[in-house]
Amino acid sequence: QVQLVESGGGLVQAGGSLRLSCAASGRTFSSYFMGWFRQAPGKEREFVAAISWSGSRPYYADSVKGRFTISKDNAENTMYLQMNSLKAEDTADYYCAAGRRPTNDGSGFDYWGKGTPVTVSS
């Protein structure tokens, strides 16, 4: 059974940093892309960042480019999202996902975690 479990969310002041983790288990993800999405209250789910399982080809939403960094530790089957210079508009539930087609709308991702909340106070 595939499991993606996020952790690391919390409350942080604007300008601060958080690092989210996504622990993956239950199958081999060697041919998969991994991604982060977020959903703020009353808003649609939004793509944040994605990376191939090999760790190459990371790409980001324009809204987080230069502030967030996606990375992976294949030995630990864990993906990370380092979030710096956080803004109030980054407040959302953050979800990790795994899939063969890294679509920005999330439709190409087959597996999803349950999310971790991030609140940025201004």
Side-chain angles (χ1 to χ4, degrees), residues 3-27:
Q3 272 197 317
L4 300 176
V5 180
E6 304 94 337
S7 61
L11 173 64
V12 64
Q13 288 189 331
S17 298
L18 280 176
R19 188 176 82 154
L20 305 184
S21 300
C22 173
S25 63
R27 67 158 298 134

Side-chain angles (χ1 to χ4, degrees), residues 39-78:
Q39 187 166 19
K43 294 190 176 180
E44 293 189 352
R45 183 176 62 197
E46 175 188 23
F47 168 77
V48 175
I51 191 169
S52 64
W53 189 251
S54 67
S56 63
R57 301 171 58 187
Y59 62 101
Y60 302 91
D62 288 343
S63 58
V64 307
K65 202 172 293 183
R67 299 188 298 121
F68 291 11
T69 302
I70 189 172
S71 63
K72 291 179 64 279
D73 182 337
N74 287 354
E76 297 293 329
N77 268 13
T78 301

Side-chain angles (χ1 to χ4, degrees), residues 36-117:
W36 288 99
F37 290 78
R38 67 187 182 186
Q39 187 166 19
K43 294 190 176 180
E44 293 189 352
R45 183 176 62 197
E46 175 188 23
F47 168 77
V48 175
I51 191 169
S52 64
W53 189 251
S54 67
S56 63
R57 301 171 58 187
Y59 62 101
Y60 302 91
D62 288 343
S63 58
V64 307
K65 202 172 293 183
R67 299 188 298 121
F68 291 11
T69 302
I70 189 172
S71 63
K72 291 179 64 279
D73 182 337
N74 287 354
E76 297 293 329
N77 268 13
T78 301
M79 176 178 64
Y80 302 99
L81 185 69
Q82 177 67 43
M83 306 187 295
N84 299 330
S85 302
L86 283 160
K87 305 175 182 180
E89 51 263 44
D90 295 318
T91 295
D93 290 329
Y94 282 71
Y95 299 87
C96 71
R100 295 184 182 274
R101 295 185 300 116
T103 56
N104 284 13
D105 67 357
S107 62
F109 288 86
D110 303 307
Y111 304 104
W112 293 82
K114 294 185 177 182
T116 186

